[in-house]
Amino acid sequence: MSIRQKNRLLSCTLPVILTAMLLSGCMNIQAEDLYALPQLSEENVRLQSMINEVLISQGAELSPPTGGINRQAVQLRDLTGNNVDEVIAFFSKPSLGTLNVYIFTEEDGDYTVAEIIEVVGTSFDRVIFTDMDGDGFAEIIIGWQMGLALRQMEIFSIRDFHAVSLTRSDYVDFVDLDLTGNGNSDILVVRPPVTEQGTVVAMYSLMPDGELVMSTTRLSSGVEVITRILTGILVDNTPAVFIDSEGRIRGVNRVVTDICIYRNGELTNITIKGTSGVSDETVRTRMNSSDINRDGFVKVPVPRPLVTQSETQYYAIDWYTFNRNGYSNLALTTYHNNNDEWFLILPFDWRDRVSVRREDDVAGERTVVFSNVYGDNDVIDFLKIYKITGDLKEERAELPGRQILISEISAVYAFELLAPPNSFNLTFDEHWIRNNFHLMHPEWMAGWN
């Protein structure tokens, strides 16, 4: 039985046993006993002893990965597919300039070192445990820091606890995903930009016979910084990876999204078309890709200027989905109030007919006004959305004509219809506003200028 299984069993059964004994009156527990610290299991004591031996005899330090989802210095993972956890510990040896991954196995309460993986570097960046060939044994993908600006990753096979390096690469970022659709993990690596070649993306797949297959493609010319990598599916359910970047795109600072899929046996950038070397349809000034309405499809945002009523320019955001051939389709449009952290999904019939302005004249009230545009830039206001703060925020949100959307500790969001519902042949009413008003998630704030 593994450490995790034993500790889980103990944590579940001990309170039941204690309760039963207390109710039956067969225990005489002193008050101080109730405050005694829990005792470590013998297995945990032995494991701690082995870790201490590495720390002392090898002059090592525990060195947890600083990125990714697996950030513990000591981790439990079933690497062999037998439902028994191995113990993986991460160490650095500063005097030697090396990093070590120790794999401990347990049998009958005794721990042994099954394998040690060593690389030269200063700190672990991230680690991924994943089965790349479907044989039930996990591969270990390790990324580590070589210096201030250089990071390397290496894929290790650990079948029979014998670590074999399958490949090594410099990287900016890497993720695991199933781009081939065969149920096994592939590793996608974004390499550092090279002046002549641009930014290359490599995908590694492990065949059942143990052969590692690599396929590459390029990101848009001018990419300098990777800001976000999202994995998801296209509208035709093709697995895809969405890579948001910043750089000098055709000589101007811009954001661009490259969408890569596995097609006809190759990694392909479906958004670069023609000879431009750039994913032209996705070039923009701000914002990262997102599944903004949570329908399962990642979308690329493209800001579009609205008719303005002042010197300040406001934007609607058109969100586009793509299919495996790189053809785009407008999925939805939103208006984002980044300062007040909310957004509104706009009906398609508002397109080119609605403008926006702000009114912040009343202390504690930040207001956005939506107006119907007609004739020679004449406007009729039909909707206000408020963010109200202060001691009397609830009362002010319920002034005549106003209705509360969301009430939080720090603020209340409310709206007011200034015209009868669905006036001017525009879709808007109380039900529609409530269904399409949303607060922003913190991660959506990234990518705004």
Side-chain angles (χ1 to χ4, degrees):
M1 182 179 292
S2 71
I3 294 174
R4 179 184 293 171
Q5 293 166 330
K6 290 178 181 177
N7 286 349
R8 185 183 298 122
L9 178 63
L10 182 62
S11 65
C12 292
T13 57
L14 186 57
V16 177
I17 296 172
L18 287 174
T19 302
M21 297 180 75
L22 284 168
L23 292 176
S24 65
C26 64
M27 291 187 71
N28 183 18
I29 300 178
Q30 302 298 319
E32 59 269 20
D33 294 331
L34 295 175
Y35 297 96
L37 292 174
Q39 297 298 309
L40 288 175
S41 65
E42 292 185 9
E43 293 93 336
N44 279 332
V45 171
R46 293 191 185 99
L47 175 61
Q48 185 64 61
S49 176
M50 294 202 69
I51 291 176
N52 287 340
E53 182 179 341
V54 175
L55 294 173
I56 296 172
S57 65
Q58 302 293 324
E61 301 173 355
L62 284 172
S63 180
T66 57
I69 61 174
N70 302 311
R71 299 192 183 191
Q72 299 79 19
V74 179
Q75 304 181 25
L76 299 179
R77 289 291 183 276
D78 177 11
L79 301 177
T80 62
N82 64 354
N83 295 319
V84 176
D85 287 329
E86 281 70 46
V87 178
I88 302 96
F90 297 85
F91 298 93
S92 66
K93 298 177 182 177
S95 61
L96 300 177
T98 61
L99 302 167
N100 295 97
V101 180
Y102 276 64
I103 302 175
F104 299 93
T105 57
E106 178 255 340
E107 185 174 352
D108 298 328
D110 289 325
Y111 282 90
T112 57
V113 178
E115 182 60 301
I116 302 173
I117 300 172
E118 182 174 283
V119 297
V120 176
T122 57
S123 62
F124 289 105
D125 176 50
R126 70 186 64 184
V127 61
I128 294 174
F129 308 96
T130 189
D131 187 354
M132 295 181 63
D133 56 1
D135 65 352
F137 290 82
E139 279 66 47
I140 300 180
I141 299 89
I142 301 171
W144 69 93
Q145 201 80 33
M146 292 284 292
L148 293 177
L150 178 61
R151 292 186 292 184
Q152 289 199 317
M153 60 80 65
E154 196 161 359
I155 301 175
F156 291 93
S157 167
I158 57 161
R159 182 189 288 271
D160 300 324
F161 297 113
H162 178 58
V164 176
S165 174
L166 302 179
T167 191
R168 178 186 287 195
S169 173
D170 296 344
Y171 74 92
V172 173
D173 204 348
F174 66 88
V175 296
D176 66 312
L177 69 168
D178 180 13
L179 272 188
T180 58
N182 63 1
N184 300 328
S185 290
D186 309 299
I187 304 300
L188 189 109
V189 181
V190 181
R191 295 174 178 168
V194 177
T195 302
E196 298 80 11
Q197 298 178 344
T199 300
V200 173
V201 180
M203 186 186 81
Y204 296 95
S205 302
L206 189 58
M207 300 295 103
D209 62 1
E211 179 187 5
L212 189 71
V213 177
M214 180 185 70
S215 180
T216 64
T217 190
R218 286 187 173 89
L219 300 184
S220 293
S221 298
V223 162
E224 298 171 351
V225 178
I226 306 300
T227 57
R228 194 177 193 188
I229 298 179
L230 286 180
T231 60
I233 57 174
L234 305 178
V235 289
D236 52 13
N237 293 318
T238 301
V241 59
F242 299 74
I243 303 175
D244 291 334
S245 311
E246 296 177 357
R248 299 282 293 179
I249 309 300
R250 293 191 293 271
V252 182
N253 290 329
R254 288 291 184 266
V255 174
V256 65
T257 298
D258 292 286
I259 304 176
C260 301
I261 68 170
Y262 187 75
R263 185 175 65 191
N264 300 327
E266 295 182 347
L267 184 66
T268 303
N269 187 335
I270 62 171
T271 44
I272 292 182
K273 303 170 185 176
T275 59
S276 70
V278 173
S279 295
D280 293 301
E281 287 185 75
T282 70
V283 175
R284 55 198 185 274
T285 57
R286 59 184 182 182
M287 291 195 72
N288 285 327
S289 301
S290 172
D291 181 7
I292 185 72
N293 61 344
R294 299 185 179 183
D295 65 356
F297 303 113
V298 177
K299 300 161 194 72
V300 178
V302 178
R304 171 173 51 84
L306 292 168
V307 177
T308 183
Q309 301 180 38
S310 64
E311 295 180 358
T312 302
Q313 181 64 65
Y314 297 95
Y315 293 84
I317 310 298
D318 291 329
W319 297 84
Y320 290 88
T321 55
F322 287 78
N323 66 15
R324 69 191 309 270
N325 295 314
Y327 294 114
S328 62
N329 182 66
L330 178 60
L332 73 156
T333 298
T334 59
Y335 170 77
H336 285 245
N337 184 333
N338 194 46
N339 291 331
D340 296 338
E341 301 179 6
W342 61 262
F343 72 96
L344 187 68
I345 299 176
L346 307 183
F348 287 114
D349 58 29
W350 286 25
R351 193 176 188 87
D352 300 325
R353 298 184 57 200
V354 171
S355 67
V356 172
R357 73 176 187 275
R358 292 195 64 99
E359 292 181 350
D360 298 332
D361 301 330
V362 179
E365 291 187 10
R366 297 169 65 89
T367 308
V368 171
V369 184
F370 294 87
S371 308
N372 175 46
V373 180
Y374 66 97
D376 189 16
N377 288 335
D378 293 325
V379 297
I380 299 178
D381 302 337
F382 64 90
L383 171 65
K384 286 186 177 182
I385 295 180
Y386 303 89
K387 180 179 182 179
I388 306 172
T389 58
D391 295 337
L392 300 176
K393 55 183 177 295
E394 295 282 352
E395 291 83 349
R396 286 153 54 205
E398 293 179 326
L399 289 174
R402 299 183 181 183
Q403 300 183 56
I404 292 178
L405 285 164
I406 296 174
S407 181
E408 295 192 320
I409 295 175
S410 60
V412 176
Y413 298 84
F415 74 95
E416 180 180 0
L417 294 181
L418 306 177
N422 304 319
S423 297
F424 325 115
N425 292 320
L426 297 177
T427 300
F428 67 94
D429 57 25
E430 176 185 339
H431 177 75
W432 173 84
I433 295 168
R434 292 188 182 279
N435 284 345
N436 290 280
F437 177 87
H438 304 275
L439 297 184
M440 291 184 183
H441 293 282
E443 63 268 23
W444 293 347
M445 305 297 286
W448 282 84
N449 293 332

